[in-house]
Amino acid sequence: MTATPPPPPPSPDAPLPPLPPVAASPVVSPWLSDEGRRIRDRVRELIPLIRSQAREGEKIGALTPEVLEAIDDAGVFRMSMPVEWGGYGLGARDLVEVISALSEGDGSAGWAGFVGVGVKNVLAMDKQVVDEVRAETEDWAGPAVVGASVFATKVGQARPVEGGWMVKGQWAFGSCCKHACWALVGVEFDPEAGGSGRGMAALRREQYEILDDWKVMGLSGSSSNSLRVQDEVFVPAHRFIDLGEFPPRLQQLHERYTGFGYGQRGLALLLCATLANLAITLGMARGALDCFTEQANKRKPFTLPYPTIGDMASAQVAAGKALAMINVAAATIEGAADQIDARTAEGLDFTPPEESEISLSIAYAANLCEDAINLLQKTIGSSTVSLSNPIQRFVRDARVLTSHGAIRIDPLAEQNGRRLLGLPPFAMIGGAVPERRASTDPSRDKEPIRA
């Protein structure tokens, strides 16, 4: 039997086969659902549209109507809604995949996807307000509800009256407020009235004004404006919750709603929200690398005699380093999402030290993504500073995101360092939230749970 001769080696001049897209995830997750994959793939088809309108979004301080409608049609704002609302109740890995895909086009679009995850907060409130929000947002294009300064040190004021509360104040960082139907705001009140002294109120859109104060260096299209109630408005009792009651009510969501993501317990819920936030940096880094490869193969270097920037050894090294940084970050962020889903499937939660350490690791991964974006921008050079160039937007958006108080690397590192060195941990974001368990409870590690 005659052996088949091996094929001849390719000619040195033959074109190389096309490479897979740099944005593609290298690992197939067992926790990526069919619905999550479908929404992610639809979003990827929208990346050219999202990227092309990102500059306009910065100018108007919000997503353009076309982008908002397109991502709504793709199912983005139903990802975290429970099945009972006609949503999908997706798990952590699904959210990371979809939000990172959105962010390959524009960080503000990814932020809108992250804001949609906050619908779980209103679900922890009284059933009557839950039903009201559901009825009024059934055909709404955008997030059903946004949060503004719920857990911040500076919040609004509330005083009890017959049948409810009178609320006024100003609340910063109402992300996606221009696209939402309801808002959740934090308030403080006199504990002598009964309660912890901190609460959360649900406000209808007509009860507050949106201030034109989101003038920032990055994530300008996220419409994270302040909300204001200058003269007191009445909030019925069913639209108000004491923050002391809020954590245990979140814990009960798995008993009231269905969808895989609603199997998450307390700290898994928190980690899932953090991952949804940090997935934005992962997507932006992938988007920056995609734009880098396109631009490097077209632009000529300023000083060196190469045909294109892509022919420069230094550019090739930068691209390779950025790819490695993105892959390491993806392994951390996506791996944490898979771990959340695996524990959810088993009905398990995380311990406070586990949550604290994972939060540190994924925040570090987000900073690694920012470093990759900065490297790519510096390698291309001055052409990236044009406001029409998406790379500079990724640079600015990543800097703003990693500056967020909830995910800044140094406070998270200090918290973990204290634990490693045997020092008592601090209450983190949840410093404004009443303790959710007695200090004498021996069943859990005593590290304060972050809200």
Side-chain angles (χ1 to χ4, degrees):
M1 185 174 182
T2 305
T4 303
S11 166
D13 298 325
L16 294 174
L19 293 173
V22 296
S25 297
V27 178
V28 177
S29 169
W31 302 108
L32 179 60
S33 71
D34 291 341
E35 200 61 60
R37 186 179 295 106
R38 181 191 67 79
I39 298 174
R40 179 204 62 189
D41 292 346
R42 287 191 63 185
V43 165
R44 282 184 175 165
E45 293 172 359
L46 296 173
I47 288 175
L49 168 68
I50 295 170
R51 196 173 291 168
S52 70
Q53 297 200 12
R55 186 181 180 190
E56 179 62 23
E58 285 195 303
K59 291 178 181 178
I60 65 175
L63 300 183
T64 64
E66 188 176 358
V67 167
L68 180 69
E69 183 177 353
I71 66 175
D72 183 74
D73 287 344
V76 168
F77 297 114
R78 295 196 172 275
M79 293 190 302
S80 291
M81 288 184 177
V83 172
E84 289 78 4
W85 280 33
Y88 308 115
L90 298 183
R93 183 57 187 265
D94 286 331
L95 297 181
V96 166
E97 292 275 340
V98 174
I99 292 172
S100 61
L102 280 167
S103 306
E104 289 177 41
D106 175 33
S108 291
W111 195 272
F114 158 65
V115 169
V117 178
V119 71
K120 293 182 178 180
N121 292 331
V122 78
L123 295 176
M125 299 182 73
D126 187 273
K127 183 179 184 299
Q128 186 175 347
V129 70
V130 172
D131 291 342
E132 289 171 344
V133 174
R134 179 184 180 184
E136 294 183 16
T137 58
E138 190 169 358
D139 298 317
W140 187 265
V145 61
V146 297
S149 297
V150 173
F151 305 111
T153 54
K154 182 180 179 181
V155 294
Q157 298 83 45
R159 61 182 180 89
V161 295
E162 185 177 353
W165 299 79
M166 300 302 295
V167 171
K168 68 176 181 178
Q170 184 168 317
W171 300 270
F173 308 115
S175 294
C176 280
C177 59
K178 293 183 179 180
H179 305 309
C181 189
W182 287 71
L184 300 176
V185 297
V187 294
E188 58 185 358
F189 59 91
D190 187 350
E192 294 295 323
S196 68
R198 286 294 300 264
M200 180 173 71
L203 302 179
R204 274 199 165 102
R205 176 64 190 85
E206 65 269 17
Q207 290 185 294
Y208 57 88
E209 62 176 312
I210 297 173
L211 303 183
D212 186 24
D213 63 354
W214 186 239
K215 311 296 184 182
V216 290
M217 65 177 285
L219 292 174
S220 299
S222 67
S223 65
S224 298
N225 306 73
S226 295
L227 311 181
R228 182 170 65 188
V229 175
Q230 197 152 9
D231 299 318
E232 287 183 323
V233 296
F234 177 69
V235 175
H238 68 271
R239 296 183 194 160
F240 185 93
I241 186 170
D242 189 299
L243 283 188
E245 301 174 16
F246 183 65
R249 293 288 290 273
L250 276 178
Q251 290 274 27
Q252 296 167 5
L253 289 183
H254 69 276
E255 301 171 1
R256 301 168 59 188
Y257 300 102
T258 54
F260 181 70
Y262 282 86
Q264 294 167 359
R265 301 311 197 259
L267 291 181
L269 275 167
L270 169 63
L271 277 172
C272 186
T274 304
L275 279 168
N277 190 328
L278 296 178
I280 301 170
T281 56
L282 177 59
M284 289 194 296
R286 287 170 170 164
L289 184 54
D290 181 47
C291 293
F292 174 89
T293 57
E294 179 184 0
Q295 295 178 29
N297 286 322
K298 293 179 179 178
R299 300 185 183 278
K300 295 182 180 296
F302 185 68
T303 53
L304 298 176
Y306 290 100
T308 69
I309 292 174
D311 290 301
M312 297 168 54
S314 57
Q316 296 157 16
V317 170
K321 285 183 175 180
L323 178 62
M325 295 158 81
I326 294 168
N327 285 345
V328 169
T332 303
I333 292 172
E334 294 172 351
D338 285 348
Q339 191 175 358
I340 290 174
D341 287 342
R343 293 207 183 185
T344 298
E346 295 293 326
L348 301 175
D349 196 5
F350 295 84
T351 66
E354 287 175 328
E355 182 272 334
S356 183
E357 187 169 336
I358 293 171
S359 294
L360 171 63
S361 297
I362 59 181
Y364 190 89
N367 279 261
L368 199 58
C369 289
E370 182 188 5
D371 291 343
I373 294 169
N374 291 338
L375 172 62
L376 296 170
Q377 185 266 323
K378 284 293 187 71
T379 301
I380 289 283
S382 59
S383 63
T384 61
V385 303
S386 170
L387 293 178
S388 63
N389 193 313
I391 292 179
Q392 55 78 31
R393 185 175 303 105
F394 288 131
V395 170
R396 293 184 289 109
D397 288 354
R399 172 60 60 86
V400 170
L401 195 150
T402 57
S403 299
H404 192 294
I407 52 176
R408 283 178 54 232
I409 191 72
D410 286 353
L412 290 168
E414 181 178 351
Q415 181 79 335
N416 280 271
R418 290 182 66 85
R419 175 169 52 82
L420 291 172
L421 295 170
L423 299 172
F426 297 124
M428 296 288 282
I429 310 170
V433 180
E435 280 290 329
R436 63 183 74 181
R437 64 180 183 279
S439 60
T440 56
D441 179 5
S443 64
R444 299 289 292 266
D445 188 288
K446 292 303 181 291
E447 180 165 348
I449 299 176
R450 302 191 305 126

